[in-house]
Amino acid sequence: MALPDGGISGEEVPFPEIIELNVGGQVYITRYSTLTSVPDSLLWEMFSRKSVKGLARDTKGRFFVDRDGFLFRYILDFMRDQQLVLPDHFPERGRLQREAEFFNLPELVKLLAPKISKQNSLGEEGCQSDPEDSSPGSETTRNLGSLGGAGAACASLVPSALNGKRSGFITIGYRGSYTLGRDSHTDAKFRRVARIMVCGKTSLAKEVFGETLNESRDPDRPPERYTSRYYLKFTFLEQAFDKLADVGFHMVACNSTGTCAFAHEQTDDKIWTSYTEYVFFRE
């Protein structure tokens, strides 16, 4: 077993030079020296100990960390060269800052914190996560508010569509299956919805579903772009409908298709698969 650079000196290190990590289901392979490159960080504490006992492992023996697996790539990049490099229009600065705090990386936390100007307002870096927040409605409200009491009274009359709420479409889709017996619908057996998919503009989807939105299949999508790869962390259609209704969306269309995928030779039962979409719109 090779002895990594740094870490425990004068005795054998209980970790190999190349380490496999399972972070929230995402597998990373890196060097021991990278994980121990920032003293007093959480990873430094984990891999500077004299024994591997007490460290969680997955079924394949990889060290397991129960955090956001897709944001961990930026944590690992920072530990390699102590620099922060993010994609353009990166929408997850706040969540990445929370991960940096968890891994006890104060320098990364500082780099991710929004800068405050002398006028006590957010600088440009604090607004990079969602450039669409500067909507015409919010600008109108600010201008009216600057006029004093009369302006504030007028600002209260600005419709909700101009108070930061953007119009647009969101489509909810799911695949399902059901079994029909000899007596047709009287013997129908429905299976639960396995996954609810979300299609639409990234910023709208995040506004509506928040933390219940799973972005793992499209993690770096800019807020002004569209996606069809998001899905929800829950499987109740009514819960999705309630969240859409709470922020002003209403259903404008729906459609469904079905095909017979399998027929049982002995019982005559037929298994049908279907795909259903619901289209919601907010003025």
Side-chain angles (χ1 to χ4, degrees):
M1 179 172 60
L3 181 65
D5 297 332
I8 304 172
S9 60
E11 57 185 85
E12 187 178 5
V13 178
F15 299 97
E17 183 179 2
I18 304 300
I19 294 179
E20 290 190 43
L21 297 174
N22 178 345
V23 183
Q26 300 297 311
V27 177
Y28 291 89
I29 302 176
T30 187
R31 298 178 66 91
Y32 174 89
S33 56
T34 299
L35 297 175
T36 56
S37 62
V38 181
D40 298 323
S41 66
L42 177 64
L43 292 172
W44 179 87
E45 292 179 357
M46 289 176 59
F47 294 99
S48 293
R49 58 176 64 192
K50 298 180 180 180
S51 173
V52 298
K53 293 181 179 180
L55 295 180
R57 303 257 195 152
D58 64 9
T59 55
K60 295 186 177 180
R62 294 178 290 231
F63 295 103
F64 179 75
V65 182
D66 189 16
R67 298 300 294 182
D68 191 311
F70 288 88
L71 291 180
F72 185 73
R73 71 182 73 176
Y74 305 110
I75 299 292
L76 199 57
D77 283 345
F78 175 80
M79 297 191 71
R80 290 186 177 115
D81 51 19
Q82 270 69 78
Q83 293 183 0
L84 175 64
V85 180
L86 297 177
D88 295 335
H89 307 293
F90 183 67
E92 307 290 350
R93 291 185 74 95
R95 292 177 61 183
L96 181 56
Q97 183 178 355
R98 184 176 62 189
E99 295 299 302
E101 293 170 351
F102 175 83
F103 286 103
N104 196 20
L105 298 170
E107 292 301 321
L108 180 56
V109 172
K110 291 180 183 178
L111 292 173
L112 289 166
K115 294 183 179 180
I116 307 299
S117 66
K118 293 181 180 179
Q119 289 77 20
N120 197 29
S121 59
L122 286 176
E124 290 184 359
E125 281 197 30
C127 299
Q128 284 183 355
S129 62
D130 194 350
E132 291 190 356
D133 282 345
S134 300
S135 60
S138 60
E139 185 66 27
T140 301
T141 304
R142 285 196 297 269
N143 291 339
L144 288 173
S146 65
L147 297 178
C154 294
S156 66
L157 300 177
V158 176
S160 61
L162 295 178
N163 283 332
K165 291 186 176 181
R166 295 178 287 272
S167 63
F169 289 88
I170 287 182
T171 300
I172 300 296
Y174 75 94
R175 299 184 186 278
S177 63
Y178 53 92
T179 302
L180 293 180
R182 294 180 179 179
D183 295 332
S184 187
H185 294 285
T186 59
D187 287 340
K189 299 177 182 178
F190 293 89
R191 298 183 181 179
R192 69 179 181 86
V193 176
R195 178 175 292 180
I196 300 175
M197 290 162 283
V198 179
C199 308
K201 185 174 286 188
T202 301
S203 56
L204 278 179
K206 291 183 178 181
E207 175 195 339
V208 174
F209 297 107
E211 293 295 325
T212 63
L213 189 69
N214 193 319
E215 309 162 35
S216 60
R217 297 172 60 196
D218 202 358
D220 299 327
R221 176 69 59 174
E224 74 278 5
R225 301 290 296 275
Y226 290 83
T227 181
S228 61
R229 298 177 61 83
Y230 287 170
Y231 60 93
L232 300 178
K233 297 179 181 179
F234 54 84
T235 57
F236 298 100
L237 285 170
E238 292 78 9
Q239 186 176 352
F241 296 164
D242 285 342
K243 285 185 173 293
L244 287 159
D246 287 344
V247 292
F249 281 84
H250 61 277
M251 189 186 301
V252 295
C254 66
N255 68 82
S256 180
T257 60
T259 58
C260 182
F262 176 77
H264 198 283
E265 296 180 357
Q266 298 179 354
T267 63
D268 293 335
D269 289 350
K270 295 181 179 179
I271 299 178
W272 291 75
T273 60
S274 65
Y275 178 73
T276 305
E277 286 185 337
Y278 302 93
V279 182
F280 289 80
F281 177 69
R282 183 170 67 185
E283 295 277 351

